[in-house]
Amino acid sequence: MSLVRAPLTLVAAYGMGYALTPPNPPVSDEERRAYRTAETTLGRLVLAWPAAIKYLIWAGSLCEAAVIVAHNFPYPPLTDRIISTLLPAGNSAVSLQVTPSLLIGTLITTVGAYWRHLCYRTLGRFFTFELSIRKEHQLVTSGPYSVVRHPSYLGSIVACTGIHACLFGRGSLLRESGLLETGMGKAIIGGSAIHAALLVIFFARRARHEDRALKQQFGEQWDQWAKQVPYRIIPYVF
């Protein structure tokens, strides 16, 4: 077992957690009125989705790190109990190794999280997880917003791709424990695949709603920006 896997896994979890954490407080009801979509009727429940995903990722990453630390620094009976609880009998903790999927996944997650950070910093107080037009709202077209019109969604997709490689790839606790080969594991894989597909659909629909509201709010200024930045989320694709 490689002890290095533990900090790399936690770095990836931190990056994904950062990407899923709102940089500003929730918006007011008045600021949400510019949008009339099925999403806005859910109110604060929209914030529960990224929070739930964040905590699930942290839970899985901390369990993996706990097994690695317990194996490398035995302190019976505590560490024995940790390993026996998180690893089925017959599965060795030695199999948790630094693998290409972890290295590439951590890098991709970090890049996605940093891209989200640039979006947070560029928009400042105008960046919200809820659809809204804030007081004295301005159309920001610099930084990541000069590449695509909704770069934060691109950052989320990139970070999600990376964290899946970390948690589901070879050498991970989920895979090496044998859990993914069980009925529960197949349900986890299926649920993750469905979630990923829904996330892409959600972002695509949301980007259209945002474009419509911003065009109505800023008119010609938005039209000029859309000509200069024709793609919504993925350059040369969409």
Side-chain angles (χ1 to χ4, degrees):
M1 171 184 287
S2 175
L3 184 61
V4 177
R5 183 175 180 98
L8 287 176
T9 300
L10 295 178
V11 165
Y14 174 80
M16 192 69 240
Y18 181 83
L20 293 171
T21 301
N24 293 304
V27 301
S28 66
D29 292 337
E30 180 182 354
E31 291 172 323
R32 284 202 303 265
R33 287 185 189 136
Y35 289 90
R36 289 291 181 270
T37 69
E39 178 187 334
T40 56
T41 62
L42 298 175
R44 297 285 185 260
L45 289 177
V46 174
L47 301 177
W49 180 14
I53 298 301
K54 176 172 66 175
Y55 294 136
L56 285 173
I57 289 171
W58 266 116
S61 300
L62 287 172
C63 285
E64 184 171 300
V67 170
I68 294 172
V69 172
H71 177 81
N72 282 276
F73 301 99
Y75 187 77
L78 176 61
T79 53
D80 293 340
R81 188 171 302 169
I82 291 173
I83 294 174
S84 63
T85 300
L86 298 176
L87 270 178
N91 293 79
S92 174
V94 177
S95 58
L96 303 187
Q97 297 286 343
V98 173
T99 59
S101 60
L102 175 68
L103 295 174
I104 295 172
T106 301
L107 176 61
I108 292 174
T109 304
T110 303
V111 169
Y114 181 70
W115 187 251
R116 289 275 288 184
H117 168 72
L118 291 179
C119 296
Y120 293 169
R121 189 174 65 182
T122 303
L123 276 192
R125 71 179 189 89
F126 299 128
F127 195 108
T128 62
F129 275 27
E130 301 166 271
L131 293 174
S132 64
I133 296 292
R134 311 215 72 175
K135 294 179 179 179
E136 301 178 356
H137 204 108
Q138 299 175 11
L139 185 64
V140 177
T141 61
S142 60
Y145 295 87
S146 65
V147 180
V148 289
R149 297 200 297 273
H150 306 278
S152 65
Y153 299 156
L154 174 61
S156 291
I157 293 171
V158 170
C160 282
T161 301
I163 200 67
H164 277 75
C166 293
L167 296 180
F168 290 92
R170 292 186 59 185
S172 67
L173 178 62
L174 280 175
R175 183 166 294 279
E176 302 304 329
S177 67
L179 176 62
L180 296 182
E181 299 174 5
T182 66
M184 180 181 293
K186 292 176 181 177
I188 292 174
I189 294 174
S192 297
I194 292 172
H195 174 263
L198 290 176
L199 188 67
V200 173
I201 294 172
F202 173 78
F203 284 154
R205 289 174 58 86
R206 210 182 206 234
R208 290 190 178 96
H209 290 311
E210 285 189 87
D211 278 346
R212 190 180 304 119
L214 290 173
K215 177 178 174 62
Q216 182 178 356
Q217 180 76 12
F218 296 103
E220 186 177 344
Q221 185 183 1
W222 185 91
D223 290 333
Q224 185 63 32
W225 177 46
K227 289 180 181 179
Q228 296 174 349
V229 185
Y231 296 98
R232 290 190 174 102
I233 299 176
I234 304 176
Y236 305 105
V237 177
F238 174 77

